[in-house]
Amino acid sequence: MLKVLVVGGGGREHALVWKLAQSHQVSRLYAAPGNAGISRHAECLPLAATDIDGLLAFAVENAVDLTVVGPETPLIAGIVDAFEQKGLRIFGPAREPALLEGSKGYAKGLMLRSGIPTAAYAVFSSYEAARYYARNQFAAAPGQPLVVKADGEAAGKGVIICRTEAEAEAALSLMMRDRAFGESGARVVIEEFLEGQEASLMAFTDGTTLVPMIPVQDHKRVGDDDTGPNTGGMGCYAPVPLVTPELYARAVDEILRPAVEAVRETGIPYKGVLYAGIMITPDGSLKTLEFNCRFGDPETQAILPLLETDLVDILLGVTDAHLDEVAVKWRPQSAVCVVLASGGYPGPYPQGVPIDGLEQVAHLSDVGVFHAGTALNDAGQTITAGGRVLGVTGLGDDFAQARARAYAAVKNIHFDGMHYRTDIGAKNVRL
Ligand code: AMP
Ligand code: GLY
């Protein structure tokens, strides 16, 4: 029996805790810091996900057998190296392989060297040089947008699509001169704009064996029909019909497998979840938009309800490098996850708003309600504590059923200012 610690406190971590709580191999579950929903399955610790020293001390003192890291920040900061140095088992890539997410320049270089398809690009540490390059690009191909990306972590906000030279200049100035994303903007990647449809493909890997998950499509814009500003993700669905079996095999063979092999050749194998953001261009080619070094959020809230296998078997297969011995099985169903957000999100939003209706949806079958930004107030009532508040996942034999179940559950939940997209998974339903 294992004592397991989940690092993080969002919807992704609630889905992880929810799945781990179903395992007969888990005797004790902790989460740091967790949230109101997570506290029903796990003991929540007053430790931030970035408090590596505090987490390490807790894991040592309490003889934690397995730590699972949700967010990228502690991974990029080296939490895995710190735990492994103390002989503790931890799920996630070490600091150097986590650079696949931690530095876009590093990721692009690795893709270029390994022949992994991605947008053409250039990397700059000088604002003047970057501006000169952007100006030349617009002169050579007027009307063709450019994408400006901060090299380092920018909480999902470091990518700006620029349609004019003036926009590119403003983006470069924001990142490189104003340091709007701190040191993350000291270097930038400028790349070719790609058209097409996006999908996310995550895989478990122990550095040698690769077990791809079901493809997912995230919805980043706040409004229906992909309108309004970008968010951390307003919902998702899985599988993705657009990713045909042929495209899926190509994404594994052309993107995920070569990336894991290229990292292994650098000396430290990639262990954990490798997430590839993929663009399927209108001519049917695949391009890698980004790598993430962790489970996606909200993607994980749609994927884990489809996973039949005990998650502990998979996590141990990765940490103990015997993933080839684990048979990973998925339910042949569809999942639709709808994110309920605070009024104003992705701009400023209030917190501490009481949430009603959670009891009514708690016992629904084929629906999972995952807490993202929630907390308990002194009276024990669940209140909002973030921009993305809840993720409601419906499962079904097809998208129509999964969608109907998710949105029926959503109708029971209310908090002041609550908003959500009404079109998650809609394009897969024949009318
Ligand atoms: P990234 O963090 O690099 O995945 O970028 C975030 C989002 O920006 C992606 O999910 C895409 O929607 C968009 N994006 C990034 N790179 C490109 C590109 N080269 N062309 C078009 N859109 C892009
Ligand atoms: N949903 C996008 C991400 O997890 O990065």
Side-chain angles (χ1 to χ4, degrees):
M1 295 293 272
L2 303 174
K3 290 196 225 170
V4 182
L5 165 63
V6 173
V7 176
R12 163 183 51 208
E13 288 78 18
H14 191 185
L16 284 164
V17 162
W18 167 84
K19 183 70 185 166
L20 288 167
Q22 295 164 26
S23 171
H24 300 301
Q25 302 177 68
V26 175
S27 59
R28 204 95 204 239
L29 259 175
Y30 303 102
N35 61 35
I38 290 175
S39 71
R40 263 184 263 133
H41 304 289
E43 183 183 333
C44 292
L45 310 172
L47 288 169
T50 48
D51 180 2
I52 295 180
D53 292 342
L55 293 165
L56 187 57
F58 178 86
V60 170
E61 248 166 62
N62 294 275
V64 170
D65 299 291
L66 171 66
T67 299
V68 188
V69 186
E72 63 276 18
T73 307
L75 292 167
I76 293 167
I79 190 172
V80 168
D81 312 59
F83 271 59
E84 287 184 344
Q85 269 161 28
K86 291 265 187 236
L88 291 169
R89 199 193 265 128
I90 183 163
F91 180 90
R95 185 186 166 119
E96 205 174 303
L99 279 176
L100 274 184
E101 176 164 5
S103 165
K104 292 197 188 288
Y106 174 90
K108 295 293 280 191
L110 182 132
M111 286 190 256
L112 191 70
R113 288 196 303 281
S114 318
I116 296 173
T118 190
Y121 76 104
V123 184
F124 298 94
S125 303
S126 143
Y127 168 73
E128 286 306 330
R131 205 178 64 151
Y132 181 76
Y133 174 85
R135 188 185 307 155
N136 282 344
Q137 291 292 112
F138 278 109
Q144 185 62 35
L146 277 185
V147 184
V148 174
K149 301 184 174 186
D151 182 69
E153 261 186 278
K157 300 196 178 85
V159 174
I160 302 180
I161 294 168
C162 307
R163 296 185 187 274
T164 62
E165 189 185 325
E167 281 178 21
E169 251 186 66
L172 291 169
S173 186
L174 183 78
M175 290 179 194
M176 304 188 85
R177 290 171 134 188
D178 307 345
R179 292 290 159 93
F181 309 113
E183 280 311 293
S184 291
R187 277 210 310 176
V188 297
V189 170
I190 302 184
E191 70 178 33
E192 160 199 19
F193 176 77
L194 300 170
E195 308 241 23
Q197 291 243 40
E198 289 182 47
S200 310
L201 186 55
M202 300 186 279
F204 296 103
T205 179
D206 60 6
T208 308
T209 301
L210 189 80
V211 177
M213 303 184 212
I214 297 173
V216 193
Q217 188 163 63
D218 193 6
H219 293 63
K220 290 194 200 273
R221 301 294 201 93
V222 72
D224 281 0
D225 300 321
D226 294 329
T227 52
N230 262 331
T231 69
M234 290 298 288
C236 59
Y237 63 82
V240 185
L242 173 79
V243 181
T244 58
E246 189 246 331
L247 281 176
Y248 179 79
R250 276 177 49 203
V252 173
D253 291 343
E254 295 174 18
I255 300 171
L256 288 168
R257 207 179 297 285
V260 168
E261 279 166 15
V263 171
R264 195 172 62 229
E265 279 161 21
T266 67
I268 305 177
Y270 192 104
K271 286 182 161 198
V273 168
L274 181 61
Y275 168 131
I278 291 166
M279 185 75 94
I280 301 156
T281 60
D283 66 0
S285 68
L286 290 178
K287 293 274 165 79
T288 315
L289 287 172
E290 64 170 338
F291 284 116
N292 291 325
C293 63
R294 51 170 174 83
F295 286 100
D297 197 6
E299 287 89 332
T300 305
Q301 301 175 55
I303 280 286
L304 289 183
L306 292 172
L307 179 64
E308 225 172 88
T309 312
D310 184 339
L311 182 59
V312 171
D313 287 336
I314 304 175
L315 300 180
L316 293 181
V318 168
T319 55
D320 300 359
H322 61 245
L323 190 57
D324 57 329
E325 294 164 18
V326 184
V328 178
K329 285 177 79 179
W330 301 95
R331 285 181 228 289
Q333 284 194 298
S334 302
V336 171
C337 172
V338 181
V339 170
L340 310 184
S342 290
Y345 177 81
Y349 50 83
Q351 299 205 30
V353 180
I355 305 170
D356 294 322
L358 289 171
E359 306 73 34
Q360 282 91 304
V361 293
H363 55 269
L364 291 178
S365 60
D366 298 304
V367 173
V369 179
F370 299 114
H371 290 221
T374 68
L376 293 173
N377 66 12
D378 292 341
Q381 189 179 20
T382 305
I383 54 174
T384 66
R388 290 189 291 174
V389 177
L390 298 162
V392 179
T393 300
L395 287 185
D397 293 333
D398 55 27
F399 281 110
Q401 197 175 45
R403 256 174 69 75
R405 285 177 173 158
Y407 282 107
V410 165
K411 291 267 175 299
N412 286 290
I413 302 173
H414 174 78
F415 52 90
D416 280 348
M418 170 176 121
H419 65 97
Y420 57 90
R421 280 182 62 158
T422 65
D423 63 346
I424 309 294
K427 65 179 153 212
N428 298 317
V429 179
R430 276 204 202 95
L431 296 174

